[in-house]
């Protein structure tokens, strides 16, 4: 449960908004790395940073083939790491791809990827979570508004906001097929959500999140204050975003899949402890407990 010293209380009786206590960029402003100083400033201000063309078309083709291989493998489909769409039973996500796929393990170690994470977090990093989101066409459901850190703090025990996610588009992210939306600047407010975490919450939350979902009033206030940015981009484009950004994505009713690979880097100085607001830990394929730095 929430302890007295917990700066980010959540999942209690009522919703509570508190200011962020942690830096956004932990590395020194002139920290050497793939991100320019102006881009590091805009990441600090907005909570996100987009790269138009992180991967070449040929590289995207390799990762797309690997995604297809995984989602058509019956053993992967039967594995608990796979989450299906509630309505169509098509695969929605496959977790821990950096462990079950050597191809995605290579992507995690790519300096263009992990180098940006180290620069933002100012330390060595390990993978807290990885997943491929297939988001097939014709009705794949989206992800309702949430802060990832609210879940990773409450359920996975990450103490501070020293975690960054990268979403790399493996298909074109159009303005119509359920792209990522972020409220710019929302990372500076921690919104503790009302409602205790049910046991085995992940079995439901990875299909449709309930616990850890902000109220309409809070979302209205945040969206009115910060606006909403929709991320579109070609296959191979990427968006890095802070763990506490308020974000979500809509359903995809177009024929065009919106597939991405999503990697969460956590600082080795911020390793998971016990959940701050959940009865039990989530499985390790969702919240890693192997803190080996990415080399
Ligand atoms: O619960 C989680 O860890 C996952 N759920 C969402 C909707 N975003 C972050 C993460 O992949
Ligand atoms: Fe999320």
């Amino acid at each position: 449960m929430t302890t007295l010293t917990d700066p980010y209380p959540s999942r209690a009786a009522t919703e509570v908004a508190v200011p962020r206590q942690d830096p956004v960029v932990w590395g020194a402003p002139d920290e050497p790395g793939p991100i320019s100083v102006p881009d590091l400033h805009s990441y600090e201000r907005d909570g996100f940073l987009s790269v138009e063309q992180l991967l070449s078309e040929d590289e995207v083709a390799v990762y797309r083939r690997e995604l297809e291989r995984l989602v058509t493998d019956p053993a992967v489909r039967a594995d608990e790491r796979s989450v299906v769409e509630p309505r169509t039973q098509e695969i929605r996500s496959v977790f821990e791809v950096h462990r079950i796929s050597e191809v995605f393990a290579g992507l995690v170690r790519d300096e263009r990827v992990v180098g940006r994470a180290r620069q933002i977090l100012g330390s060595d990093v390990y993978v807290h979570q990885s997943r491929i989101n297939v988001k097939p066409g014709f009705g794949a459901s989206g992800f309702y508004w949430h802060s990832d850190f609210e879940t990773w703090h409450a359920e996975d025990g990450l103490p501070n906001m020293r975690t960054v996610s990268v979403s790399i588009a493996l298909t074109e992210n159009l303005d119509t097929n359920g792209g990522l939306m972020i409220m710019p600047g929302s990372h500076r407010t921690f919104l503790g959500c009302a409602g205790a975490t049910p046991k085995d919450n992940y079995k439901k939350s990875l299909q449709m999140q309930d616990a850890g979902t902000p109220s309409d009033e809070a979302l209205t206030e945040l969206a009115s204050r910060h606006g909403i940015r929709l991320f579109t981009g070609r296959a191979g484009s990427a968006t890095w975003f802070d763990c506490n950004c308020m974000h979500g994505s809509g359903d995809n009713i177009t024929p065009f899949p919106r597939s991405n690979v999503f990697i969460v880097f956590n600082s080795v100085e911020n390793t998971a402890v016990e959940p701050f607001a959940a009865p039990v830990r989530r499985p390790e394929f969702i919240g890693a407990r192997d803190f080996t730095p990415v080399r």
Side-chain angles (χ1 to χ4, degrees):
M1 289 316 287
T2 305
T3 62
L4 286 180
T5 56
D6 182 1
Y8 300 117
S10 191
R11 311 278 173 104
T14 55
E15 189 173 57
V16 58
V18 297
R20 179 188 189 109
Q21 313 278 313
D22 292 306
V24 177
V25 174
W26 291 73
D30 54 357
E31 179 94 14
I35 306 175
S36 69
V37 173
D39 280 353
L40 219 44
H41 283 158
S42 73
Y43 177 87
E44 202 271 341
R45 180 194 63 221
D46 299 334
F48 55 78
L49 178 66
S50 286
V51 173
E52 287 291 299
Q53 192 70 48
L54 182 79
L55 302 178
S56 69
E57 283 179 20
D58 292 348
E59 289 175 309
V60 169
V62 169
Y63 295 113
R64 276 269 290 281
R65 271 198 302 277
E66 181 67 354
L67 178 146
E68 290 307 324
R69 183 187 72 79
L70 289 170
V71 300
T72 51
D73 178 345
V76 172
R77 185 189 174 85
D79 190 293
E80 61 175 346
R81 294 178 185 85
S82 293
V83 178
V84 295
E85 290 289 345
R87 196 174 63 82
T88 60
Q89 295 303 301
E90 279 196 76
I91 288 197
R92 172 181 171 84
S93 306
V94 179
F95 280 83
E96 223 178 25
V97 287
H98 70 290
R99 281 187 180 281
I100 63 177
S101 156
E102 192 37 51
V103 172
F104 284 113
L107 180 61
V108 162
R109 292 192 298 266
D110 188 310
E111 198 52 34
R112 293 169 292 176
V113 178
V114 68
R116 284 180 167 84
R118 288 195 193 107
Q119 198 176 354
I120 289 169
L121 301 181
S123 71
D124 269 337
V125 297
Y126 72 94
V127 176
H128 172 68
Q129 181 184 108
S130 70
R131 62 194 284 185
I132 47 176
N133 290 321
V134 184
K135 211 172 220 187
F138 301 117
S141 44
F143 295 88
Y144 193 69
W145 293 108
H146 63 283
S147 151
D148 292 339
F149 178 76
E150 192 278 338
T151 293
W152 296 338
H153 182 70
E155 298 191 58
D156 297 341
L158 298 195
N160 291 91
M161 297 177 182
R162 195 169 182 177
T163 318
V164 61
S165 302
V166 60
S167 174
I168 303 174
L170 297 181
T171 59
E172 185 160 11
N173 282 208
L174 306 161
D175 50 6
T176 52
N177 64 345
L180 172 66
M181 295 182 284
I182 298 179
M183 296 184 191
S186 58
H187 61 305
R188 295 186 173 288
T189 302
F190 176 76
L191 191 62
C193 298
T197 309
K199 200 165 173 325
D200 284 350
N201 182 44
Y202 73 93
K203 288 187 178 159
K204 195 168 119 6
S205 70
L206 297 180
Q207 275 190 330
M208 182 68 68
Q209 187 167 352
D210 187 10
T213 303
S215 68
D216 295 356
E217 296 72 24
L219 288 171
T220 304
E221 199 284 321
L222 276 175
S224 309
R225 186 161 22 125
H226 296 291
I228 296 175
R229 167 85 179 271
L230 169 68
F231 288 84
T232 58
R234 298 170 15 187
S237 61
T239 301
W240 268 263
F241 58 106
D242 177 81
C243 57
N244 189 46
C245 287
M246 189 58 69
H247 69 288
S249 61
D251 293 353
N252 178 13
I253 60 170
T254 73
F256 313 117
R258 196 227 60 175
S259 304
N260 70 343
V261 53
F262 175 82
I263 305 162
V264 182
F265 292 102
N266 189 35
S267 167
V268 293
E269 309 297 330
N270 189 44
T271 52
V273 295
E274 288 313 309
F276 285 81
V280 291
R281 291 179 178 186
R282 296 201 295 178
E284 296 195 22
F285 70 84
I286 301 176
R289 294 276 160 172
D290 171 357
F291 306 139
T292 309
V294 174
R295 286 279 177 257

